[in-house]
Amino acid sequence: MAAHQFPKNSMHLDQNPEAALGGFGKDFDDDGREKRTGTWVTASAHIITAVIGSGVLSLAWTIAQLGWVVGPAVLVAFSFITYFTSTMLADCYRAPDPVTGKRNYTYMDVVKAHLGGTKFKLCGLAQYGNLVGISIGYTITASISMVAVKKSNCYHKNGHQADCTVSGVPYMLLFSAMQVLLSQIPNFHKLSWLSILAAVMSFAYASIGVGLSIAKVASGENGQTSLTGIDVSGQEKVFRAFRAIGDIAFAYAYSTVLVEIQDTLRSSPPENKAMKRATFVGISTTSLFYILCGCVGYAAFGNNAPGNFLTGFGFYEPFWLIDFANICIAVHLVGAYQVFCQPVYGFVEKWCSTRWPESKFITTEHIIKLPFNGEYPLSYFRLIWRTAYVIVTTVIAMIFPFFNAFLALLGATSFWPLTVYFPVEMYIARTKLPRFSFTWIWLKILSWACLVISLMAAAGSIQSLAHEVKKYKPFQVEI
């Protein structure tokens, strides 16, 4: 086992000593880092893994709150908004020129390069706060899917009215044990295989959900639907609509990891061109599944659509297919957790190596030869801190099982700045767009409209969070 001490910036991305010292050649990129090998295909897999979560199965509930007219229209509108702002963000990866400029490795770096001032600190607060929240939320959601497998078999054996209460804590611990192991993947560049697996899993369980919904509609057992959605009291209708719009907005938000995904792409074709192609493929694919799951699910369940028609037992049979779908959800979340955690890992490790550049504990990597896998750079600092991160997020998930409701609030508040405001402002700054020109005006209108939507979603999330807190039971996961 050989040990190498790296310069202070080496913890941010995987480097070898020659690259870290500015070596160039066929194995290194123009910034001296190890040559990036990602393509639009791997970037598309990262996007699909990040965007399609098990929340896709709750879109039937979302459409039920908004109805046949507003629901699909909001889905389509947010797919266009997300694609449009993502293409603007992709052009900001290099600065000042989108093709030949200096690379920016994180969202914070991009904002600092184009806007400067203190805005990049606000960006970091929104981005990393959201990413940590997602880590906790995914721990809860994965355990719910694993618990659903146990309950599905219980219902099949003992009947649908049986008491099949199952604690989610052991499954949280199982999920976290896997994350401790996977978190030792050095960086985003090594995640392609996991993202591709997770993307396949998302296709599988979304397709099963759509297929079961179509079968339910064909059987004539579908629920009652309407153009305006569920009929409840005025105030409750408003809050539910706000929450539904926020869920859709948050479902499309992957800007928190867009720059980090783009930083995995090889230089030719230009990164911005490849990222735009990946964004188109990723958003188109997810939009198709969103519309299918939302609309077909609503047609199947009507205004009584459950929050999740797989883990919430909208279907009980065939139980083996429900089990398989929930296993696919859990496997997908294993990969998605890593996609959202890697930027946090990179940020902390870069900061620590900059803060304590002389610490061998932080900057030294030990090269270990693994059978069938070549060399692995083991860092004791990375091992300890990433394991501690997984443990802390797991403990929070166990103590606060209602955290998913809080995550909805976190998503609502971070959607506007990360998905809309910063991309729009950086586009204006980069192109030196004249104030009060036609393009400047409609971009500002788009930004302000999305701010209003974020505030509406936040209001709906707060109301939902208050409801969840009332039935708060620590160390329990309820489906």
Side-chain angles (χ1 to χ4, degrees):
M1 181 171 69
H4 296 286
Q5 186 172 1
F6 298 99
K8 63 184 180 181
N9 67 342
S10 67
M11 293 300 294
H12 179 51
L13 289 173
D14 185 31
Q15 298 176 321
N16 58 39
E18 182 181 352
L21 293 172
F24 295 94
K26 64 179 182 179
D27 296 327
F28 310 109
D29 271 327
D30 54 359
D31 57 350
R33 296 178 185 265
E34 185 178 350
K35 186 172 286 293
R36 297 157 177 83
T37 58
T39 66
W40 68 268
V41 176
T42 60
S44 298
H46 286 316
I47 292 170
I48 293 170
T49 300
V51 178
I52 296 185
S54 61
V56 66
L57 303 173
S58 69
L59 288 175
W61 178 90
T62 301
I63 300 296
Q65 312 313 307
L66 301 174
W68 281 120
V69 177
V70 178
V74 172
L75 278 172
V76 173
F78 274 103
S79 68
F80 278 111
I81 291 172
T82 303
Y83 173 72
F84 175 67
T85 57
S86 295
T87 58
M88 290 194 292
L89 187 55
D91 281 333
C92 296
Y93 169 67
R94 288 181 181 264
D97 186 88
V99 177
T100 61
K102 179 180 177 294
R103 297 175 186 268
N104 295 286
Y105 307 117
T106 68
Y107 201 140
M108 282 185 70
D109 292 340
V110 167
V111 174
K112 186 176 183 179
H114 289 85
L115 300 178
T118 60
K119 289 184 178 180
F120 78 98
K121 295 180 181 179
L122 297 175
C123 168
L125 183 64
Q127 180 189 11
Y128 294 112
N130 193 27
L131 292 175
V132 172
I134 289 173
S135 303
I136 300 169
Y138 277 7
T139 302
I140 297 172
T141 307
S143 70
I144 290 175
S145 296
M146 289 186 276
V147 165
V149 174
K150 186 77 172 178
K151 295 186 72 171
S152 173
N153 287 273
C154 175
Y155 287 134
H156 177 73
K157 181 178 180 180
N158 302 313
H160 298 171
Q161 305 304 318
D163 181 12
C164 295
T165 303
V166 180
S167 172
V169 172
Y171 298 96
M172 285 187 185
L173 296 175
L174 174 62
F175 178 81
S176 299
M178 290 186 286
Q179 295 305 335
V180 167
L181 179 63
L182 291 172
S183 289
Q184 300 314 308
I185 297 174
N187 54 56
F188 229 126
H189 302 277
K190 310 298 183 182
L191 278 182
S192 297
W193 66 272
L194 187 58
S195 283
I196 292 172
L197 174 63
V200 171
M201 293 297 102
S202 65
F203 290 149
Y205 67 72
S207 299
I208 291 171
V210 171
L212 290 174
S213 296
I214 291 174
K216 186 175 178 67
V217 172
S219 70
E221 300 177 359
N222 49 302
Q224 181 180 359
T225 65
S226 70
L227 294 178
T228 57
I230 189 169
D231 184 19
V232 292
S233 64
Q235 181 180 356
E236 183 69 14
K237 177 71 172 180
V238 170
F239 278 117
R240 286 191 177 204
F242 285 176
R243 173 71 186 276
I245 292 173
D247 286 351
I248 293 173
F250 182 54
Y252 277 107
Y254 79 101
S255 298
T256 48
V257 292
L258 185 148
V259 176
E260 285 79 1
I261 292 174
Q262 191 167 350
D263 190 47
T264 67
L265 296 174
R266 59 192 182 194
S267 302
S268 180
E271 299 92 351
N272 63 331
K273 182 178 179 181
M275 193 64 196
K276 289 177 182 179
R277 184 178 184 183
T279 297
F280 178 78
V281 172
I283 297 299
S284 299
T285 303
T286 55
S287 295
L288 175 63
F289 275 99
Y290 280 5
I291 292 172
L292 283 174
C293 282
C295 295
V296 178
Y298 181 46
F301 294 101
N303 294 331
N304 294 320
N308 184 312
F309 52 69
L310 288 179
T311 62
F313 293 97
F315 302 103
Y316 288 90
E317 300 293 342
F319 80 99
W320 59 269
L321 187 59
I322 306 301
D323 288 352
F324 177 71
N326 279 305
I327 291 171
C328 289
I329 293 175
V331 173
H332 169 254
L333 291 175
V334 168
Y337 184 101
Q338 286 300 314
V339 168
F340 284 103
C341 279
Q342 285 294 335
V344 179
Y345 294 157
F347 172 77
V348 172
E349 288 156 20
K350 180 184 178 182
W351 183 86
C352 288
S353 61
T354 303
R355 178 68 176 80
W356 298 286
E358 305 303 322
S359 172
K360 292 185 178 181
F361 172 69
I362 294 176
T363 60
T364 300
E365 288 183 347
H366 304 271
I367 305 302
I368 301 176
K369 293 184 179 180
L370 299 177
F372 312 110
N373 198 38
E375 296 181 342
Y376 172 76
L378 173 65
S379 165
Y380 293 137
F381 170 67
R382 185 166 61 223
L383 175 64
I384 293 173
W385 121 254
R386 293 189 180 190
T387 300
Y389 177 87
V390 173
I391 292 173
V392 170
T393 55
T394 303
V395 170
I396 294 174
M398 290 190 294
I399 295 175
F400 302 107
F402 62 83
F403 191 87
N404 275 344
F406 178 75
L407 183 60
L409 175 60
L410 197 62
T413 55
S414 63
F415 164 75
W416 172 71
L418 297 176
T419 303
V420 182
Y421 174 75
F422 285 122
V424 166
E425 292 300 312
M426 288 189 291
Y427 174 83
I428 291 174
R430 184 176 60 82
T431 59
K432 297 180 173 59
L433 203 63
R435 289 174 62 87
F436 303 111
S437 64
F438 175 78
T439 303
W440 185 91
I441 290 173
W442 75 259
L443 284 176
K444 289 291 186 178
I445 291 174
L446 172 65
S447 181
W448 281 101
C450 290
L451 172 60
V452 172
I453 290 172
S454 281
L455 294 175
M456 291 164 52
S461 298
I462 291 172
Q463 191 259 3
S464 176
L465 181 60
H467 177 73
E468 291 292 329
V469 170
K470 289 180 181 178
K471 56 180 185 180
Y472 170 50
K473 295 179 180 179
F475 295 99
Q476 292 188 27
V477 177
E478 296 183 356
I479 298 179

